[in-house]
Amino acid sequence: MERRLILLPFLVLLLSACAQNGFQEPLATVNEAPAITTYSPPTLIQKLIGAHQVVDGASQISNLKLNINGPKAGATLKGTVTFQPASGSSVSVPFDVSGTIGSEDYTSYMNATNQAQMDGMGLRVGAKLTCLYTDCSESFIDIYINYKGIIYHHQVEAKGNEVHHAADIEKSAPSTLKTPKVEEDGARFEHDIDEDNEAGAYVGEPQKDLEVLFPNLTDKKSTPDEKRPNPPPSKNAGGSSIVKIVLKGLGQAVTSLGKNNFVRGHLENPANILSYEEANPRAGFHIIYPKRQNYYGTDDMLAVLANMGRYSQDKLKGYVLSIGDISAKKGGPLGRHSSHQMGLDADIAYYFNANEKQKGLIDAVASSGPIPSFMADEQFEMFKVLVSQGNVDRIFIHPTLKKELCSVAIKKGELKPDETQGSAFEALRVMRPEVHHRDHFHLRLKCSTAQPRCRQMALLAKQTGCN
């Protein structure tokens, strides 16, 4: 299991049969699908990807239509993309690209079919189609326009038909609860908040996209080698008829399409976090509800929990963290949780200095504030270390406990009224007060670049909420 902490995740699909074109199931045929949604950040975002300057938020889309010819695995995208360059008036581009969907990675790099027209406008254009499911019934598309050395980027989402594979996901998770109920262990579920009113985008693979679509712009000497390590060997689970296909570059957390949807999806090739605990006597954490079988996550989640466990063991003299729900084996709906569907969410107990309160998810809130055994200083130090790793998206915590941690930071002189940086500020910034988190905090990780089909929530505002 230690190898999973350093290897980028690869998805291994076990197939009982393949169609003639090599796909697990026939690709959906999408004809002039009008239900294409667009994403553009509310403010202009400029960033460097490799050696290239990339701009998001400077473009608009109109009359965009996607065609997927399922039997031939062909894809075309047509419409108008209008962007505002760094200088000068806006430019409207007759966008017309096509490509073939790969049978191993379910993506398509699409190049201009009207290149002569693009040459006349001084443009280079391209797009990448990334399928969320293996029939390409749902997908997102990254559009790139290269104009005067600057790359203008826009992302859209396309939904061809109503195939969600939700039934398959639910069948694979026997511990999923359809109605609120109390488990045999007596634990209760919290009702997560979505914060689904915030903008965001799928992660994608922008650096690789630019290298493929605009190879003449890539400085091979300065570009890091993108070659990925070979995936770990997997056991044949179904006999000699099983065909193994590696979906190179695709991540484990897959977000479903939907307006401002960031918490619903499924999980592929999960890390078994209970197995890691059982194989490591000093893991520093304990899965407290193994009967639920909700102990699966991404490799990123396994790495974060392993680091938290080691930190607890080292800093608190053998302390063992109690871990509640993470995700089911294939993700998807999990009881009363609205999230916990993609292996990026985990329920984790607070720190207590009383032995009897370290064995599960224990209420840390009294009527007048935190209970006396809540270890506020130690909890705040752990949060600072946790957030400093750079992959924490949000920490949902009870308002009373966040208020206490704000007080800790202020008393230590780590947080001043005009503070906008530093480990204390960043830790408090990602803590989101939510009343259903009395007995645990809810850790949500960011989508990593190893998970291109994961949709990342927008960055939080630069404020702590401690005022």
Side-chain angles (χ1 to χ4, degrees), residues 56 93 98 121 162 195 229 250 252 289 336 338 419 461 464:
D56 283 282
V93 182
S98 65
M121 299 178 67
E162 296 302 319
E195 296 195 44
L250 296 186
Q252 298 167 305
Y289 307 133
R336 293 178 62 189
S338 59
E419 192 74 62
T464 63

Side-chain angles (χ1 to χ4, degrees), residues 201-466:
Y202 286 91
V203 174
E205 297 178 295
Q207 181 165 343
K208 179 182 176 182
D209 296 350
L210 296 182
E211 293 176 358
V212 173
L213 293 170
F214 310 118
N216 57 318
L217 296 181
T218 303
D219 182 359
K220 296 299 183 182
K221 294 182 181 180
S222 61
T223 301
D225 184 6
E226 286 291 309
K227 184 178 180 181
R228 300 175 184 268
N230 291 326
S234 60
K235 296 181 179 179
N236 187 328
S240 59
S241 64
I242 297 296
V243 178
K244 301 174 184 178
I245 293 182
V246 176
L247 304 183
K248 297 183 176 68
L250 296 186
Q252 298 167 305
V254 184
T255 309
S256 298
L257 286 184
K259 183 179 180 181
N260 297 333
N261 179 30
F262 309 97
V263 298
R264 295 174 178 84
H266 66 277
L267 178 62
E268 297 180 0
N269 192 33
N272 187 323
I273 295 172
L274 177 63
S275 292
Y276 175 87
E277 175 199 336
E278 293 172 342
N280 293 272
R282 294 190 71 253
F285 65 80
H286 174 57
I287 302 295
I288 59 176
Y289 307 133
K291 290 183 179 180
R292 294 182 184 174
Q293 301 180 44
N294 297 333
Y295 42 74
Y296 294 92
T298 62
D299 286 305
D300 295 332
M301 177 60 76
L302 173 58
V304 167
L305 293 180
N307 288 337
M308 290 174 63
R310 285 193 291 268
Y311 175 89
S312 301
Q313 290 274 295
D314 294 342
K315 298 297 182 181
L316 299 180
K317 298 180 180 179
Y319 198 105
V320 177
L321 274 176
S322 293
I323 309 295
D325 290 332
I326 307 173
S327 289
K329 189 172 184 179
K330 291 190 177 181
L334 193 69
R336 293 178 62 189
H337 297 288
S338 59
S339 58
H340 288 266
Q341 297 194 18
M342 297 177 288
L344 296 176
D345 299 272
D347 293 340
I348 304 172
Y350 296 112
Y351 279 154
F352 297 103
N353 58 21
N355 290 335
E356 70 275 9
K357 295 187 182 299
Q358 298 174 9
K359 307 301 182 183
L361 306 186
I362 307 299
D363 194 338
V365 181
S367 58
S368 59
I371 64 175
S373 58
F374 174 65
M375 302 170 71
D377 287 11
E378 292 81 357
Q379 191 74 63
F380 187 55
E381 290 301 314
M382 188 267 272
F383 280 158
K384 287 193 295 182
V385 172
L386 175 62
V387 173
S388 70
Q389 297 179 52
N391 54 1
V392 174
D393 186 53
R394 283 154 172 76
I395 297 173
F396 297 106
I397 182 175
H398 193 275
T400 297
L401 301 180
K402 177 168 183 179
K403 182 179 179 181
E404 180 70 13
L405 298 185
C406 286
S407 298
V408 169
I410 294 171
K411 289 178 182 178
K412 289 185 174 182
E414 297 182 16
L415 185 68
K416 300 177 181 178
D418 58 347
E419 192 74 62
T420 59
Q421 59 183 355
S423 61
F425 174 86
E426 290 300 326
L428 290 164
R429 183 171 72 93
V430 302
M431 292 184 208
R432 312 297 287 172
E434 209 282 321
V435 296
H436 292 286
H437 292 84
R438 302 172 62 96
D439 58 359
H440 70 278
F441 66 90
H442 177 138
L443 172 65
R444 176 171 297 161
L445 299 185
K446 295 178 181 179
C447 301
S448 73
T449 54
Q451 298 158 356
R453 296 184 292 167
C454 180
R455 186 170 182 176
Q456 178 61 44
M457 299 178 76
L459 293 175
L460 292 166
K462 281 284 186 178
Q463 56 189 24
T464 63
C466 290

Side-chain angles (χ1 to χ4, degrees), residues 43-91:
T43 58
L44 200 69
I45 298 176
Q46 302 184 50
K47 53 192 174 185
L48 280 177
I49 297 180
H52 310 307
Q53 183 177 351
V54 178
V55 178
D56 283 282
S59 55
Q60 294 179 336
I61 303 293
S62 59
N63 301 318
L64 195 65
K65 297 179 180 179
L66 171 69
N67 282 3
I68 295 179
N69 186 329
K72 294 185 179 180
T76 62
L77 185 70
K78 297 181 180 181
T80 300
V81 181
T82 302
F83 69 95
Q84 178 62 53
S87 60
S89 57
S90 62
V91 179

